[in-house]
Amino acid sequence: MTRRQATSSILSGAALIATAGTAAAQPGPIKLPPPRPEGGISLTAALKLRRSSRAYSQRPLTPQILSDLLWAAFGINRPSGDRTAPYWRHVMVMDIYAAMANGVWLYEPKLHMLVSHLPNDIRAKTGLQDFVATAPLNLVYVAHGERMTDVSPEDRRLYASVDAGFIGQNVYLYCASQGLATVFRAAVDYAGLAKTMNLPSQQFVTFAQTVGYPAS
Ligand SMILES: Cc1cc2nc3c(=O)[nH]c(=O)nc-3n(C[C@H](O)[C@H](O)[C@H](O)COP(=O)(O)O)c2cc1C
């Protein structure tokens, strides 16, 4: 079995666990296939295609697309461990969670892995618009407020929002280059989503972003 096939079968196995409604067994981490170093269209062509979409197919994303997307979003692009998006004061504040039918997963860039956070489908809770419940992926950008020392709560939200915005634009451009649909979202019940995700009190949701194949 190739690594890609193995990952694919792990993903579908986790999906089976979720759809069978079995009592909340926490699946193990998923090692994503390596992000593809080449491909896509030119940056200029992607900029021409970048747009927000609100109509999604329910088709799940492939492990390779998930891998490439998360790497583009905030993956490691240098031996120093730094990322594809700039971030405030070189302090790593942002976590990306992937809410899918098979649960909520934390993206772990160092190992390029998805770590199970919750085994249930919370997609409907990631936003106030109907499409979020059935689109295959909702990214949730969560900030660690406790890592932002010496700044006011207002500035914490400001800097974390800028971090999230850069990540969001990476996602927009990756999606444009691959013919995927996406929309960055503030229409979120922030307190409700933080509760659903069992976030510690110092962590907060900045924005969410839906990704999927366009509805045909
Ligand atoms: C900070 C921010 C919050 C947004 N929130 C939402 C949202 O909650 N729901 C939504 O459908 N679009 C949302 N959008 C997308 C904008 O509506 C969209 O980018 C804008 O209408 C321009 O359209 P375009 O992205 O297709 O160029 C948001 C965009 C930004 C930058």
Side-chain angles (χ1 to χ4, degrees):
M1 190 186 269
T2 65
R3 194 202 301 224
R4 184 178 300 186
Q5 286 165 333
T7 308
S8 175
S9 85
I10 293 166
L11 277 175
S12 51
L16 276 180
I17 290 167
T19 46
T22 50
Q26 199 90 354
I30 296 172
K31 181 92 183 114
L32 292 164
R36 289 173 292 188
E38 307 285 342
I41 59 179
S42 75
L43 176 60
T44 313
L47 284 165
K48 281 187 179 157
L49 291 171
R50 191 219 60 83
R51 70 201 55 224
S52 298
S53 305
R54 297 171 186 84
Y56 294 84
S57 157
Q58 296 185 22
R59 184 154 63 101
L61 299 173
T62 65
Q64 186 65 60
I65 292 282
L66 259 184
S67 164
D68 296 347
L69 170 75
L70 289 166
W71 180 81
F74 206 36
I76 292 173
N77 70 353
R78 279 161 284 170
S80 61
D82 283 311
R83 306 297 182 86
T84 56
Y87 54 99
W88 176 79
R89 266 199 207 167
H90 212 247
V91 177
M92 191 52 62
V93 165
M94 300 303 301
D95 280 336
I96 302 183
Y97 289 87
M100 302 189 282
N102 61 6
V104 182
W105 303 80
L106 172 65
Y107 175 50
E108 171 45 74
K110 284 194 184 120
L111 299 169
H112 199 56
M113 191 177 256
L114 289 174
V115 178
S116 177
H117 178 67
L118 292 173
N120 38 323
D121 181 359
I122 67 149
R123 288 176 296 169
K125 303 277 176 108
T126 67
L128 303 176
Q129 292 161 286
D130 288 347
F131 60 79
V132 305
T134 51
L137 173 65
N138 289 285
L139 300 171
V140 183
Y141 303 132
V142 172
H144 284 259
E146 80 283 2
R147 295 181 190 166
M148 307 178 83
T149 52
D150 306 328
V151 281
S152 67
E154 294 75 25
D155 282 349
R156 283 183 188 172
R157 189 159 284 278
L158 173 67
Y159 298 135
S161 295
V162 174
D163 281 9
F166 278 114
I167 295 169
Q169 179 72 346
N170 283 356
V171 170
Y172 265 111
L173 292 175
Y174 174 77
C175 288
S177 83
Q178 296 294 320
L180 293 167
T182 190
V183 63
F184 191 81
R185 297 188 286 100
V188 172
D189 169 3
Y190 288 95
L193 181 54
K195 195 168 171 206
T196 300
M197 291 179 68
N198 295 331
L199 295 180
S201 61
Q202 295 274 40
Q203 294 182 25
F204 57 92
V205 175
T206 57
F207 295 94
Q209 185 160 7
T210 305
V211 178
Y213 299 100
S216 43

